[in-house]
Amino acid sequence: QARLVQSGGVSVQTGGSARLSCAATGYSFTTNCVAWFRQAPGKEREGVASITTSTNTPYYTASVKGRFTISQDRAKNTVYLQMNNLQPEDTGVYVCGARSGTCPFTRFAYIGPSEPWGQGTQVTVTP
């Protein structure tokens, strides 16, 4: 059964860093669009970063460009989200999802509910 397993929650101070991981089990990221989304309390879910695993091409939402980096370790079948200079507005539940194929170049991919999703990770950034 295909599953995505995320790393545990983190709590950091403003300006700090954290790294989230999204590991695939029973599933291969060989040719996938893997994306990180986040949802803050009272807000809609938004795309944060995505990567086309076959070409290693990333895409970021404007608010995290220059601070977040999405990457992959093909040997470990894992995608990472390195988050630097975290701000309180980065607080939320982060979840990874994957679908086959490539990511769009100018927007976040739609990943349906039947696709593999992680369990979600709480990221809390304190002032």
Side-chain angles (χ1 to χ4, degrees):
Q1 182 180 0
R3 284 198 310 146
L4 303 183
V5 180
Q6 295 181 219
S7 49
V10 296
S11 180
V12 300
Q13 291 185 326
T14 298
S17 296
R19 188 177 77 160
L20 305 182
S21 65
C22 173
T25 62
Y27 184 77
S28 174
F29 280 154
T30 304
T31 309
N32 268 245
C33 174
V34 182
W36 286 96
F37 298 84
R38 67 184 178 190
Q39 186 164 20
K43 294 188 177 181
E44 292 188 356
R45 190 177 70 177
E46 65 171 342
V48 176
S50 65
I51 187 168
T52 294
T53 57
S54 58
T55 62
N56 220 30
T57 304
Y59 177 76
Y60 301 96
T61 192
S63 63
V64 308
K65 278 184 181 177
R67 301 189 298 124
F68 289 15
T69 302
I70 189 169
S71 64
Q72 64 174 323
D73 184 330
R74 288 174 174 158
K76 295 182 178 179
N77 215 20
T78 299
V79 169
Y80 300 97
L81 184 67
Q82 176 67 43
M83 306 180 291
N84 297 329
N85 191 22
L86 282 160
Q87 302 297 311
E89 53 266 33
D90 294 317
T91 294
V93 176
Y94 285 66
V95 63
C96 61
R99 71 170 200 191
S100 62
T102 59
C103 299
F105 292 119
T106 59
R107 58 177 175 81
F108 282 96
Y110 172 75
I111 300 177
S114 62
E115 302 287 0
W117 286 93
Q119 78 274 23
T121 297
Q122 177 68 45
V123 173
T124 302
V125 184
T126 57

